[in-house]
């Protein structure tokens, strides 16, 4: 794991892959992609970084334990589900803005739900992998 | 009405969270909340006759669960009892448990219990009634185990939960059967389906399940033993749950369903025999106790037996007696329990053999005890006298067996008189022992509630008109038949058989009281017989069940992952193999092979090679990499067949799996040959068979004509309803969003599991080293 090439490549790939994962997340509603895959791609980005630089530096880079992303993601997903109830609609009815936003496209509760899924997946994957990696030391 | 019922749950939250910072005076004021409910329910007095008033609220209409509340005579009586006695208990506890560290929890549970009980008696929908029914079990579990530092307290609350909760599950089956046969879960609508229900082949099962539910809740023999055990609860809880409210839920249910299911020979015979057995058995049991609460517990069981017995007789007179007796019992029993609490609180003992002469120091309490005991004894002119007369009138009017039933009722009443007298009068008469000379009268918050209840018992007896118009007639209408007129209640019926029996009961009861004193000797005598008690038998049954299941678990799950895998595969092979063997005709079309393209062939070949590498490789790392290749090949297949979403997910998941495997491999020894050739042979055989079966299954599945309805629905509606063009994603986040929500919760749990298990290991290792 001490390869210079890998480390340099990983440092460049990390932002690129993260950007790509957000791209996958956003395009999910119209083209192949979505929160689940997006989350996995983002996790892979971090795992790659961890392979090149060691888990400790990745965790330092993240500043917070990835497990913190789980409640945030769950919260976003649940709020996205509860939100329509403010307007008297049943739980998890999709509500949408009338006009699409530039770049992002149509914005609705489903998108926020997907963002929640995205965060939970990153949190879960990284928590599991980092915890297991810790035992190998 | 919805607000009235559910407000208790809100209050429970308020008490539970904010209660920590409340002062003791504030707790006294909480009693105003049930008082307000009581007053609110009083306003229904003029309108609750006949069919009552219906309040509909839809909840889950798609499966027929609605929060429909009906206020009729029966519901009115119960809701007044729940809120009225509840208010007294709220006031009483604020002093009784003053300064307790967990008072906020206590009030939280109490409000939750009150709200569930109100929901239970007011629900017109059987399913929502069931929800409240189980909520009463759960909140009573909290209340019984309130002193959770005490193991006995914990055990008794577990027993209570097991019995009443288990009975509730049986009730659920009965309810589902009724709803299925009657076409509705509304009690009022089921009234029109009574013939369908009573004549159906499932009638026996329905009443069996309903009976188990009601008997477990109302402590009927042989499921009665949880109630005396539940006396570990603080006394206000015993008062509220075990005399006035929860234990009457079973009686309530039976009374409520009498117009629907009753008036049938099985119904009547079962209830009469179980009720009679319970009332006599428990009444005699009460004689062998010296603890005031135990005596009261058994006399409560006996009274519940009388109620079930009266429902079983099912005549006009008996149901009238029932409606009076429910109230009679609630009044005197709650008073007796509350005064027991005072005696216990002030003297520190509940042992009747030691208590005496307390009237000198606790005069108002003694007065309450005397009045309650008189009402319990059925002494004229108390309300109890009226109740007892009506019971005798009911038993005498039964066509067959009237003498036997009357005799049983008389015996029960004699024992109950004894019990009431021992608790309500004995501690207060005689010479005051020196040790109790310092006892002084507590705050009025404690002694006013029992006195009030006891005085009411006298008042209703003197002026039965107060009750007959307001309640009894209306209850009678709701249980018996809505069209009937209201029977009047009178204190004096003239000289007749009933009066003679009443006199016999009272006189022999007093003689009995003078002759027989509660003593430790009797109590210890009973202990020798405990091996025959239903409690022992049921405990034995569940212990053997536990032993059986632990043995069975040891055989099937002895801790080796590969063994679990083998069992799962063998099970699937057996089930699927059986199905193939019996029902499925294998059709194999060789023409299918002609459609294979060169890419597919190459991918499959790649997979084959990797699988062989996985199985025969001598290095774990090789095996893992080869497995990754299998996964990636599968992605390619998905791509080829036009499922890019699936391929992407599979691709990323596969990557992460390989990473995980490599990480885990670090922890394993470098190389070891764990299995021997026979084991390998066995495993390969199982693996190959399973593979073969899955292949056959896949072949069968593609033979079936495809049903395109579902996919067409999604394809058509994805953009219309959810504004998305990618059907897979639309299904995930919109159409089946709740599934996804569930899945991310599962993922969270998995992550927490891995984190805590492995973290724990690391921490313990560190601590050791």
């Amino acid at each position: 794991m001490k390869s210079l090439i890998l480390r340099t490549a990983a440092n460049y790939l990390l932002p690129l892959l993260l950007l790509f994962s957000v791209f996958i997340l956003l395009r999910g509603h119209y083209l192949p992609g979505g929160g689940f895959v997006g989350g996995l791609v983002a996790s892979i980005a971090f795992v790659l970084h961890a392979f090149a630089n060691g888990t400790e530096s990745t965790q330092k880079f993240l500043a917070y334990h990835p497990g913190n992303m789980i409640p945030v993601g769950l919260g976003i997903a649940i709020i996205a589900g509860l939100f329509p109830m403010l307007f008297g609609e049943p739980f998890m009815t999709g509500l949408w803005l009338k006009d699409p936003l530039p770049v992002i496209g149509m914005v609705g509760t489903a998108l926020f739900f997907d963002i929640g899924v995205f965060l939970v997946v990153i949190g879960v994957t990284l928590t599991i992998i980092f915890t297991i990696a810790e035992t190998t030391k | 009405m919805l607000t009235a019922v559910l407000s208790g749950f809100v209050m429970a939250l308020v008490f539970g969270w904010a209660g920590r910072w409340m002062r003791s005076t504030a707790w006294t004021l909480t009693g105003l909340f049930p008082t307000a409910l009581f007053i609110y329910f009083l306003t229904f007095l003029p309108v609750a006759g006949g069919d009552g008033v219906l309040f509909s609220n839809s909840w889950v209409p798609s499966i027929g669960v609605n929060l429909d509340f009906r206020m009729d005579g029966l519901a009115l009586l119960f809701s007044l009892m729940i809120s009225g006695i509840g208010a007294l208990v709220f006031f009483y506890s604020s002093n009784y448990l003053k300064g307790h560290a967990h008072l906020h929890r206590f009030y939280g549970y109490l409000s939750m219990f009150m709200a569930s009980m109100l929901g239970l008696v007011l629900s017109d929908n059987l399913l929502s009634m069931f929800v409240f029914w189980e909520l009463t079990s759960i909140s009573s579990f909290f209340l019984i185990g309130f002193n959770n530092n005490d193991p006995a307290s914990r055990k008794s609350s577990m027993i209570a939960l097991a019995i009443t909760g288990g009975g509730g599950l049986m009730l659920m089956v009965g309810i589902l059967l009724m709803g299925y046969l009657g076409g509705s879960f509304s009690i009022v609508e089921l009234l029109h389906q009574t013939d369908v229900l009573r004549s159906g082949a499932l009638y026996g099962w329905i009443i069996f399940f309903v009976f188990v539910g009601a008997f477990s809740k109302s402590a009927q023999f042989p499921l009665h033993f949880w109630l005396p055990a539940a006396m570990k609860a603080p006394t206000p809880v015993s008062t509220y749950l075990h005399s006035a409210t929860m234990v009457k839920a079973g009686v309530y249910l039976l009374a409520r369903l009498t117009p629907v299911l009753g008036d049938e020979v099985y119904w009547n015979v079962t209830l009469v025999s179980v009720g009679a057995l319970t009332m006599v058995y428990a009444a005699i049991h009460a004689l062998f106790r010296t603890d005031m609460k135990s005596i009261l517990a058994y006399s409560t069981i006996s009274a519940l037996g009388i109620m079930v017995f009266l429902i079983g007789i099912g005549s006009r007179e008996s149901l009238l007696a029932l409606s009076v007796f429910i109230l009679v019992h609630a009044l005197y029993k709650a008073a007796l329990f509350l005064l027991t609490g005072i005696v216990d609180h002030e003297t520190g003992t509940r042992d009747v053999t030691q208590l005496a002469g307390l009237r000198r120091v606790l005069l108002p309490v003694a007065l309450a005890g005397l009045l309650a005991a008189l009402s319990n004894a059925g002494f004229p002119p108390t309300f109890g006298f009226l109740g007892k007369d009506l019971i005798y009138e009911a038993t005498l009017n039964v066509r067959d067996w009237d003498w036997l039933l009357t005799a049983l009722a008389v015996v029960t009443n004699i024992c109950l008189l004894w019990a009431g007298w021992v608790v309500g009068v004995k501690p207060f008469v005689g010479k005051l022992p020196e040790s109790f000379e310092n006892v002084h009268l507590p705050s009025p918050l404690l002694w006013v509630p029992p006195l009030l209840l006891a005085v009411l018992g006298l008042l209703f007896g003197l002026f039965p008109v107060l009750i007959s118009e307001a309640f009894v007639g209306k209850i009678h209408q709701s249980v018996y038949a809505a069209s009937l007129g209201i029977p009047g209640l009178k204190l004096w019926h003239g000289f007749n058989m009933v009066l003679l029996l009443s006199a016999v009961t009272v006189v022999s009861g007093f003689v009995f009281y003078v002759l027989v004193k509660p003593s430790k000797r009797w109590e210890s005598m009973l202990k020798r017989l405990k091996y025959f008690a239903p409690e022992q038998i049921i405990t034995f049954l569940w212990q053997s069940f536990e032993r059986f299941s632990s043995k069975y678990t040891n055989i099937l799950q002895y801790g080796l992952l590969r063994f679990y895998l083998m069992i799962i595969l063998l099970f699937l092979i057996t089930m699927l193999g059986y199905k193939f063997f019996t029902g499925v005709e294998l059709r194999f079309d060789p023409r299918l092979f002609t459609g294979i393209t060169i890419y597919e062939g190459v991918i499959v070949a790649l997979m084959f090679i990797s699988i062989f590498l996985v199985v025969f490789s001598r290095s774990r790392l090789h095996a893992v990499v080869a497995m990754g290749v299998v996964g990636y090949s599968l992605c390619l297949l998905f791509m080829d067949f036009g499922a890019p979403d699936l391929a992407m997910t599979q691709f990323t998941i596969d990557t992460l799996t390989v990473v995980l495997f490599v990480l885990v491999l670090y922890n394993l020894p470098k190389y070891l040959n764990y299995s021997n050739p026979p084991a390998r042979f066995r495993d390969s055989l199982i693996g190959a068979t399973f593979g073969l079966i899955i292949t056959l299954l896949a072949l069968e599945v593609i033979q079936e004509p495809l049903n395109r309805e579902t996919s067409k629905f999604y394809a058509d509606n994805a953009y219309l309803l959810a504004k998305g063009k990618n059907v897979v994603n639309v299904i995930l986040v919109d159409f089946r969003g709740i599934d996804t929500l569930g899945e991310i919760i599962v993922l969270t749990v998995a992550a927490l599991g891995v984190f805590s298990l492995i973290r724990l290991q690391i921490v313990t290792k560190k601590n050791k080293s």
Side-chain angles (χ1 to χ4, degrees):
Chain A
M1 303 290 170
K2 297 286 172 209
S3 149
L4 183 65
I5 301 174
L6 181 65
R7 204 182 309 165
T8 320
N11 286 347
Y12 282 108
L13 276 175
L14 179 66
L16 277 179
L17 276 173
L18 285 181
L19 205 63
F20 181 59
S21 74
V22 175
F23 166 70
I24 286 182
L25 161 74
L26 290 180
R27 81 201 278 262
H29 222 55
Y30 306 97
L31 295 161
F36 197 80
V37 189
L40 289 173
V41 170
S43 328
I44 288 176
F46 286 114
V47 168
L48 191 66
H49 188 264
F51 262 45
N53 302 309
T55 33
E56 267 154 36
S57 67
T58 313
Q59 281 188 345
K60 221 172 273 167
F61 173 75
L62 277 170
Y64 293 101
H65 190 279
N68 292 331
M69 262 187 262
I70 301 175
V72 175
L74 269 183
I76 292 177
I78 288 171
I79 290 171
L82 290 174
F83 186 70
M85 293 175 90
L86 290 181
F87 301 93
E89 301 275 348
F91 184 59
M92 297 210 68
T93 314
L95 290 182
W96 296 85
L97 287 182
K98 283 214 174 60
D99 301 305
L101 290 184
V103 186
I104 298 175
M106 290 298 290
V107 172
T109 48
L111 178 68
F112 288 98
F113 184 76
D114 226 8
I115 293 173
V117 175
F118 177 78
L119 291 176
V120 171
V121 169
I122 302 178
V124 167
T125 327
L126 292 185
T127 305
I128 292 179
I129 288 181
F130 284 172
T131 316
I132 291 179
E134 227 174 310
T135 56
T136 60
K137 273 181 293 193
Chain B
M1 181 58 71
L2 185 68
T3 329
V5 173
L6 300 185
S7 59
F9 293 115
V10 179
M11 291 310 273
L13 287 179
V14 172
F15 292 151
W17 289 101
R20 269 167 245 235
W21 299 284
M22 276 165 74
R23 289 150 177 260
S24 54
T25 42
W27 287 121
T28 313
L29 291 179
T30 56
L32 295 176
F33 159 60
T35 316
L37 282 179
F38 182 74
I39 294 169
Y40 171 71
F41 289 128
L42 272 182
T43 61
F44 284 95
L45 267 178
V47 291
D51 274 344
V53 198
L54 182 71
F55 302 84
S56 288
N57 305 284
S58 70
W59 186 15
V60 197
S62 50
I63 52 169
V65 183
N66 293 309
L67 287 172
D68 293 344
F69 298 117
R70 171 174 302 276
M71 181 57 103
D72 62 358
L74 192 64
L76 181 64
L77 171 74
F78 271 91
S79 35
L80 283 176
M81 259 168 32
I82 293 159
S83 54
I85 297 183
L88 295 181
V89 169
F90 266 67
F91 283 122
Y92 183 94
S93 313
S94 70
N95 192 281
Y96 188 85
L97 291 171
K98 200 175 183 173
H100 195 290
H102 299 304
L103 202 59
H104 57 285
R105 278 192 214 158
F106 179 80
Y107 272 95
Y109 300 151
L110 206 61
S111 317
M112 179 179 157
F113 174 78
M114 186 172 74
S116 349
M117 204 60 213
L118 284 174
L120 164 60
V121 298
L122 286 165
S123 288
D124 182 58
N125 185 287
L126 282 172
L127 286 173
S128 55
M129 190 185 83
F130 170 78
V131 173
F132 288 116
W133 177 280
E134 289 296 58
L135 277 174
T136 62
S137 290
I138 293 167
S139 45
S140 75
F141 166 74
F142 290 139
L143 283 170
I144 295 170
F146 180 61
N147 291 321
N148 51 19
N149 290 325
D150 176 13
S153 193
R154 290 203 300 268
K155 188 180 165 222
S156 59
S157 60
M158 287 297 282
I159 292 178
L161 183 68
I163 299 285
T164 61
L169 291 180
M170 299 289 248
L171 175 66
M172 177 83 179
V173 181
I175 287 175
L176 290 177
L177 283 177
M178 272 196 306
Y180 166 70
L181 289 175
S184 166
F185 288 108
S186 160
I187 297 174
V188 174
E189 277 169 41
L190 283 173
L191 280 177
H192 305 295
Q193 303 292 330
T194 49
D195 294 332
V196 181
L197 290 177
R198 282 182 210 165
S199 59
L202 289 169
Y203 176 76
W205 285 110
I206 294 177
I207 61 169
F208 171 75
F209 287 121
V210 169
F211 282 171
V212 175
F215 290 171
S216 69
K217 202 74 155 184
S218 276
Q220 297 297 298
F221 186 88
L223 299 172
H224 63 278
F225 53 86
W226 68 267
L227 208 160
M231 290 296 145
K232 291 280 180 295
T235 308
V237 174
S238 310
T239 314
Y240 195 34
L241 270 64
H242 307 134
S243 72
T245 52
M246 185 175 95
V247 290
K248 291 213 172 75
V251 173
Y252 166 81
L253 180 76
L254 293 175
R256 178 56 89 203
L257 293 179
T258 297
V260 181
L261 296 171
D263 202 16
E264 220 274 359
V265 63
Y266 293 115
W267 172 276
N268 291 355
V269 169
T270 318
L271 288 183
V272 166
S273 29
V274 172
L277 184 61
T278 309
M279 71 185 189
V280 177
Y281 174 86
I284 294 174
H285 248 273
L287 302 180
F288 292 89
R289 309 280 153 178
T290 56
D291 177 27
M292 286 165 85
K293 272 175 106 174
S294 286
I295 297 175
L296 287 178
Y298 277 99
S299 79
T300 301
I301 298 176
S302 176
L304 293 167
I306 296 178
M307 292 174 202
V308 170
F309 172 77
L310 288 173
I311 296 175
I313 293 175
S315 65
R316 235 187 118 147
E317 292 85 3
S318 74
L319 294 173
L320 182 64
L322 172 77
S323 40
V324 173
F325 187 67
I326 289 176
L327 189 57
V328 170
H329 176 253
L331 290 176
Y332 77 71
K333 192 52 69 64
L336 289 176
F337 261 117
L338 288 175
L339 79 86
T340 303
I342 300 175
V343 170
D344 188 16
H345 203 249
E346 300 305 319
T347 66
T349 176
R350 295 196 306 252
D351 189 339
V352 280
T353 56
Q354 289 177 19
L355 293 164
L358 287 173
R359 72 175 182 287
R360 286 172 208 284
V361 282
L362 300 172
L363 185 65
V365 185
L367 192 63
L370 178 68
L371 287 177
L374 280 175
S375 183
N376 171 45
F379 207 78
T382 58
F383 196 32
F385 172 68
L386 243 158
K388 187 158 50 53
D389 274 12
L390 286 169
I391 295 175
Y392 291 154
E393 212 168 289
T395 54
L396 284 174
N397 278 321
V398 180
R399 195 154 346 111
D400 310 309
W401 303 91
D402 50 344
W403 278 106
L404 176 68
L405 297 184
T406 311
L408 289 175
V410 170
V411 170
T412 308
N413 272 320
I414 291 174
C415 296
L416 285 186
L417 187 155
W418 182 92
W421 216 254
V422 164
V423 174
V425 175
K426 188 175 177 304
F428 302 103
V429 295
K431 193 173 162 293
L432 187 70
E434 274 174 28
S435 53
F436 295 150
E437 265 167 9
N438 292 327
V439 172
H440 56 91
L441 193 65
S443 132
L445 277 176
L446 285 185
W447 58 261
V448 168
L451 192 62
L452 187 66
L453 289 169
V455 169
L456 276 180
L458 182 67
L459 203 65
F460 289 158
L462 284 172
F463 308 104
V465 173
L466 285 176
I467 291 296
S468 65
E469 289 290 319
F471 285 120
V472 175
K474 286 170 192 157
I475 303 164
H476 200 226
Q477 282 180 344
S478 46
V479 181
Y480 201 63
S483 57
L484 273 180
I486 297 176
L489 286 182
K490 282 183 302 190
L491 191 59
W492 185 250
H493 285 261
F495 293 98
N496 53 15
M497 194 61 205
V498 173
L499 189 70
L500 180 68
L501 283 172
S502 210
V504 169
T505 313
V506 172
V507 172
S508 40
F510 280 120
V511 172
F512 196 52
Y513 170 70
V514 174
L515 294 180
V516 181
K517 293 286 165 205
S519 74
K520 293 279 178 209
R521 203 163 50 84
W522 283 59
E523 204 175 30
S524 57
M525 216 162 81
L526 196 71
K527 280 203 180 115
R528 258 174 270 152
L529 289 174
K530 72 173 185 186
Y531 297 104
F532 303 99
E535 181 175 8
Q536 290 295 318
I537 295 167
I538 289 181
T539 318
F540 171 76
L541 277 180
W542 95 44
Q543 276 167 354
S544 359
F545 186 74
E546 227 172 64
R547 269 200 299 277
F548 168 74
S549 51
S550 81
K551 274 202 182 119
Y552 158 87
T553 314
N554 280 342
I555 293 174
L556 285 186
Q557 309 194 333
Y558 62 66
L560 285 181
L561 192 61
R562 51 175 178 267
F563 190 74
Y564 292 179
L565 206 61
M566 200 172 84
I567 292 205
I568 293 170
L569 291 185
L570 279 177
F571 181 73
L572 279 174
I573 288 173
T574 323
M575 299 307 276
L576 288 173
Y578 176 74
K579 196 70 203 158
F580 273 116
F581 188 71
T582 53
V584 180
E585 189 189 334
L586 284 177
R587 287 166 306 213
F588 184 62
D589 191 354
R591 273 172 303 169
L592 281 173
F593 280 115
T594 54
I596 297 176
T597 62
I598 181 86
Y599 321 107
E600 288 161 18
V602 171
I603 294 170
V604 171
L606 203 60
M607 283 169 96
F608 262 110
I609 296 167
S610 339
I611 289 172
F612 272 94
L613 267 174
V614 172
V615 176
F616 295 104
S617 162
R618 308 221 109 216
S619 142
R620 286 207 182 86
L621 203 60
H622 287 173
V624 168
V625 172
M627 217 166 65
V629 174
V630 178
Y632 287 152
S633 316
L634 206 62
C635 294
L636 290 176
L637 275 183
F638 285 145
M639 289 296 284
D640 195 36
F641 282 98
D645 271 286
L646 212 52
M648 268 169 90
T649 315
Q650 174 78 28
F651 187 81
T652 39
I653 284 278
D654 239 324
T655 313
L656 286 170
T657 317
V658 171
V659 169
L660 261 181
F661 260 113
V662 171
L663 285 175
V664 171
L665 284 186
Y666 264 51
N667 280 350
L668 297 178
K670 277 277 178 272
Y671 182 72
L672 268 177
N673 200 352
Y674 274 121
S675 56
N676 48 0
R680 283 179 157 230
F681 179 70
R682 180 197 65 196
D683 292 349
S684 60
L685 194 68
I686 293 172
T689 319
F690 189 65
L692 182 72
I693 287 209
I694 292 295
T695 313
L696 288 177
L697 194 71
L699 286 174
E700 272 305 307
V701 168
I702 50 173
Q703 294 284 333
E704 291 290 318
L706 270 180
N707 181 356
R708 297 212 174 262
E709 236 173 78
T710 321
S711 48
K712 191 169 177 306
F713 167 82
Y714 285 125
D716 287 349
N717 289 301
Y719 196 72
L720 282 179
L721 297 177
K723 299 195 179 7
K725 288 178 189 147
N726 176 6
V727 178
V728 178
N729 193 262
V730 167
I731 292 174
L732 279 178
V733 299
D734 197 297
F735 287 119
R736 318 225 48 171
I738 291 187
D739 285 2
T740 312
L741 190 63
E743 272 156 30
I744 56 178
I745 290 172
V746 169
L747 279 180
T748 308
V749 173
L752 284 178
V754 170
F755 183 71
S756 49
L757 281 176
I758 292 181
R759 250 306 151 87
L760 207 66
Q761 230 175 23
I762 297 173
V763 172
T764 37
K765 257 186 207 165
K766 267 185 193 159
N767 284 350
K768 269 182 194 166
S769 58

